[in-house]
Structures are given as C-alpha cells and as structure tokens.
Amino acid sequence: MNTRRFALKTMAAMTTFGLFAGSHAFADAAHPKVALVMKSLANEFFQTMQDGAKAYQKQHSKNFDLISNGIKDETDTAAQIKIVQQMMVEKVDAIVIAPADSKALVPVLKEATAKGIIVVNIDNKLDADALKEKGISVPFVGPNNRTGAKLVGDYLAKTLKAGDKVAILEGVSTTLNAQQRTAGFKDAMAAVKANVTNVQSGEWEMDKANTIASAMLRETPDLKAILAGNDNMALGAVAAIKTAGKTGKVKVVGYDNISAIQPMLKDGRVLATADQYGAQQAVFGIETALKAVKAKTPQNQLPAVVETKVKLVTK
C-alpha cells in the first residue's frame, strides 16, 4: 500500500466514524483525541472490541474524539506500525493499542511517547525486555491470559485421564498473549498428566488452524482434544474434526467467547471457552488513557498493569 493510499484510507475511516477533526496542535485536555489501534477486524473479537469502543465514545462524545483503525490480517505488523505513525501525524493525545507483535511495535510506540502521546496497551502484552531496552513504560490493561487459559484447560481436564494425547493450536507465536494461553493450557494438562503431543501456530486464523488441525488428526489418530488459543482457531479445529469423521471423539476448547462459538458450546462441538469481555477491553484502555491525559500524568508514572476479569464459559 503506498503512502497516499494509506493516508486516504485512514481519512476515509475517520470520516466514516464522523471523527475526523483535521490537523491541529494537541487537543486540550478537556476534549482529547484518542486513537484505537487494533489487530485484524476480520476477527470477530476485534470487531466486537471496536463496536464497544464506538458505543462508549458515542455516550461520551462531549468528552473525547475516537479514531479507530485495524489491520487486514493478524500478522501484518508493518501496516500496524504505519497506522501508529499516521496517528502521530494526526497529533492524537493517546494511543490505545492491541499490538500484532509484542516486540515489533515497541520502537514506534517509543516515538509516540517521545511526542507526549499517552500509550496504553490492551489485549496482547508488549514485551517487557523490549520496553526496557527502549526505556519506556507502557501500562497493560487486560486479563491474565495464562489464568484464563488454565480455567478452560482445567474444565477440559475433567474429561481426560493420564496419558491422553492432546494438541495445542497457538496464536501468533511472537505475541505474549499466545504464549501465555499456551502456558495456561500446559499448566492444566500437566496437572492431569495428559500428554501434549503437538503445539503449532494457527496464527489466530480459522483457515490456517483448520489445515494444521487436519494434519494433527492424521499424525495422531488417537488424539483426544485440541486446545485452541482463540475461538477462530477452535472453529477451524471443529471443521477439521468433522471432515475427519471424528465429531464427538475429539474435544475442542477455545478462548474469547465470540458469538460464532455459541451454537457449538450448546451442541457440544466445543466444550469451553473464556470470556475476557472483548466489548469492554478497549473501553478499559480508553478510560486509562483519558484519565492520564486529563491528569497530565507522565507516561512513566502510569501503572504497569491494570488487570481486568476473565471467566470460564461452558454449555
């Protein structure tokens, strides 16, 4: 995508939301401009997150403006970096970001903080070492992914016995939330002495997960369960199990509680998922950012973590 097309696309998005405010020096604290930068809006979870943020802004339109952007797919970190750069050009007061990569976004976010923009991290935690290397502190507002995944894994574990073979569909492996969910799943499987035979990245995507799950089922004919790092990948696993003629024989769990997973929870194709309140996650981040902007709190004095809730969802 060339720079001109990117700029036009960004402006079009702002116009669609009725939020384009033109070029100006930083807004006064009474009416700041907040940028929400997400991962793939093709993922229902992030669409839900955006919808929640837009509804919140509509209710509080006198208090702040919102510019919302997302990338085409989960791994397009270059496009997400360009969005952050564009938001600096637009002179936003705060950036609330769900980074596509835990390390790759840190340098451009350092640039943003150097311009006095408040940066708040949601969904996928930025890498602590990368932040330390750049000398910045960015608050993470969100749930404990390891705890959430262990809740799901523990529920699955009740149906397993020692030695049962299970596989894990991991999200994008360079993201901390993917790593933490895999760790939580492993914690639960270790407790019941299940055998994790395979961990592969489905990159959060349904089609990629479907392909990998199909291979897992061929390689391990006696596989008892697939633990998916998000519900998109769980959908892919369910389809693979159906194609393999193993519906009801291989259990599936997910994470996110998107609407598309609900029928599968009801009929047992998916055993459990975790609800991390996607519609509210961006709102929690926006509230943290607005509080900092209005109080003129320096970036390095913001809290390191603002933990939000996560709950187990079953039939």
Side-chain angles (χ1 to χ4, degrees):
M1 183 183 289
N2 63 37
T3 306
R4 175 176 169 77
R5 200 185 314 157
F6 178 82
L8 289 171
K9 185 177 179 183
T10 305
M11 286 175 68
M14 293 176 198
T15 305
T16 299
F17 299 143
L19 302 170
F20 183 61
S23 180
H24 64 290
F26 285 101
D28 63 294
H31 200 87
K33 186 157 62 168
V34 178
L36 175 62
V37 182
M38 288 167 295
K39 292 192 278 184
S40 174
L41 291 176
N43 182 334
E44 185 188 325
F45 178 76
F46 292 104
Q47 188 62 58
T48 300
M49 186 183 285
Q50 176 175 265
D51 291 346
K54 287 166 68 178
Y56 180 78
Q57 191 277 334
K58 193 173 181 180
Q59 292 167 1
H60 301 85
S61 58
K62 293 181 180 179
N63 299 331
F64 75 104
D65 287 334
L66 179 71
I67 302 170
S68 180
N69 281 289
I71 53 180
K72 186 177 179 181
D73 64 64
E74 301 279 5
T75 57
D76 198 352
T77 55
Q80 201 177 45
I81 288 167
K82 286 179 181 177
I83 290 172
V84 173
Q85 290 169 336
Q86 183 66 25
M87 293 305 97
M88 286 191 274
V89 171
E90 291 301 325
K91 293 184 167 60
V92 297
D93 299 282
I95 293 172
V96 177
I97 184 167
D101 186 285
S102 296
K103 294 181 180 179
L105 271 293
V106 172
V108 74
L109 294 175
K110 161 78 172 179
E111 291 177 37
T113 62
K115 292 180 180 293
I117 298 170
I118 289 293
V119 176
V120 173
N121 174 200
I122 59 172
D123 180 63
N124 173 41
K125 202 169 189 292
L126 291 163
D127 184 81
D129 291 337
L131 289 170
K132 187 176 180 182
E133 184 184 331
K134 290 295 179 183
I136 60 169
S137 172
V138 177
F140 175 70
V141 181
N144 185 315
N145 283 277
R146 188 167 186 162
T147 299
K150 188 174 184 300
L151 283 173
V152 174
D154 284 343
Y155 189 79
L156 170 65
K158 293 175 185 177
T159 72
L160 301 173
K161 61 181 186 297
D164 279 350
K165 295 176 183 178
V166 302
I168 296 173
L169 282 168
E170 185 170 66
V172 175
S173 298
T174 55
T175 59
L176 283 179
N177 60 341
Q179 295 164 12
Q180 288 297 297
R181 289 176 196 179
T182 295
F185 285 153
K186 285 183 174 179
D187 291 343
M189 295 302 97
V192 76
K193 294 184 171 59
N195 180 13
V196 179
T197 61
N198 203 339
V199 179
Q200 288 191 59
S201 173
E203 297 184 348
W204 306 122
E205 304 282 358
M206 182 169 64
D207 290 345
K208 180 79 180 282
N210 178 260
T211 301
I212 292 171
S214 295
M216 288 173 165
L217 292 165
R218 288 193 300 271
E219 291 163 13
T220 313
D222 55 345
L223 197 67
K224 297 295 183 185
I226 296 175
L227 298 90
N230 77 347
D231 286 343
N232 266 7
M233 294 191 296
L235 294 173
V238 167
I241 289 165
K242 181 180 179 181
T243 300
K246 294 190 174 183
T247 299
K249 296 176 183 177
V250 182
K251 298 176 176 68
V252 176
V253 294
Y255 197 108
D256 278 344
N257 196 32
I258 63 174
S259 62
I261 215 76
Q262 304 304 317
M264 299 186 181
L265 286 168
K266 287 178 182 175
D267 64 23
R269 284 175 292 168
V270 173
L271 197 65
T273 187
D275 192 336
Q276 54 176 339
Y277 301 92
Q280 291 299 306
Q281 263 201 42
V283 173
F284 295 146
I286 290 167
E287 288 176 338
T288 300
L290 287 173
K291 185 177 178 183
V293 169
K294 290 178 180 179
K296 297 183 180 177
T297 307
Q299 180 74 36
N300 63 4
Q301 289 180 23
L302 295 175
V305 176
V306 179
E307 190 167 314
T308 59
K309 57 190 176 179
V310 58
K311 73 172 183 179
L312 176 71
V313 180
T314 65
K315 183 179 179 179

